[in-house]
Amino acid sequence: MCNLYSNTTAVEAMRQLFKVQPLQDQLGNAEPLSAIYPKYDAPIVRLDEDGMRELVSLSWGFRSTKKSKKTGNIISPGVWNNARSDKVATSGFWKFAFKDKRCLVPASSYCEWPPGGNPQVFHWFALHGDEPRPPFAFAGLWQTSKYETKDGPESCETHTFLTTTGNALTETVHPERMPVILRPENYDQWLHGSTDDALALLEPFPAEEMQIVRQGTEHSSDPIETSA
C-alpha cells in the first residue's frame, strides 16, 4: 500500500507548523515535492540529541539485505516503506525504532489505487481545510539502515510511516489499509510519549475530514481538482 505521496509545503511553513527552530532546520532551500517514491529523500521531523525538533531529509523506506531465492546471492536491498500498526510494537524489524525513533512525516496528499485494476486509477487523498491540500503529518519512524549489497555493506538514514485499518472513504479505493495521520495536538505525544501513548494514536483518520482531490490513470498529483 501507499507507495507514493507528496509534500508541497514550503520549508518556512513546515518550520511553523511543526514548531522547528530555524537553527534546527537542515533542509536549506529544499523545493516542494509533488511526487515522493520509495528510495527518494523527503523531509521528516525528529528529535535531536537534546530532544529538540529538527527538520532533516531522509530516504523513504527502511532497508534490509535481500537474497535471491534461486541463487542465494545478495541482490538489491529490500525497501520497507510502510509499517503495520498491529505489528510495530512486537516485530523485531520495527520495535526498536518504534520505541526510540519516532518521527513526523510531513505530507500534503497521498496516492492509492485499487488492487488489480487495469488500467490503474490513481486516487490522491488529502484533508479538508482552508487550503486545497492542507499540510499534515504521518506517524513515522526513522533509523540508520545497515544492509548488505552485492558490492559490500552499506548504510543510510531512512524513514517509514505506519498504516492502520482504512476508513469509509479510503476503503472505497484500498479495502484494507491507510496511513496513520496525526493531529497537531498529538505530535508531542507521538514524539515524546511511551510506546503505550504512541499505540493509542494508531487509529484511522475520520473519513469526513478527508477528500479525494485528484483521480485518473496518471500518477501526477498536480492540483487539477476532479472531486470536491
Side-chain angles (χ1 to χ4, degrees), residues 152-169:
E154 292 187 7
S155 66
C156 65
E157 285 199 314
T158 58
H159 75 274
T160 189
F161 53 78
L162 279 81
T163 66
T164 185
T165 53
N167 62 32
L169 177 64

Side-chain angles (χ1 to χ4, degrees), residues 126-173:
L127 303 190
H128 284 295
D130 296 333
E131 307 169 49
R133 303 189 188 195
F136 60 90
F138 298 125
L141 309 174
W142 72 276
Q143 71 168 13
T144 300
S145 291
K146 299 179 180 180
Y147 51 94
E148 296 289 333
T149 73
K150 60 183 179 180
D151 297 318
E154 292 187 7
S155 66
C156 65
E157 285 199 314
T158 58
H159 75 274
T160 189
F161 53 78
L162 279 81
T163 66
T164 185
T165 53
N167 62 32
L169 177 64
T170 66
E171 285 177 346
T172 63
V173 178

Side-chain angles (χ1 to χ4, degrees), residues 115-132:
N118 189 18
Q120 296 285 15
V121 178
F122 302 98
H123 297 71
W124 284 90
F125 292 91
L127 303 190
H128 284 295
D130 296 333
E131 307 169 49

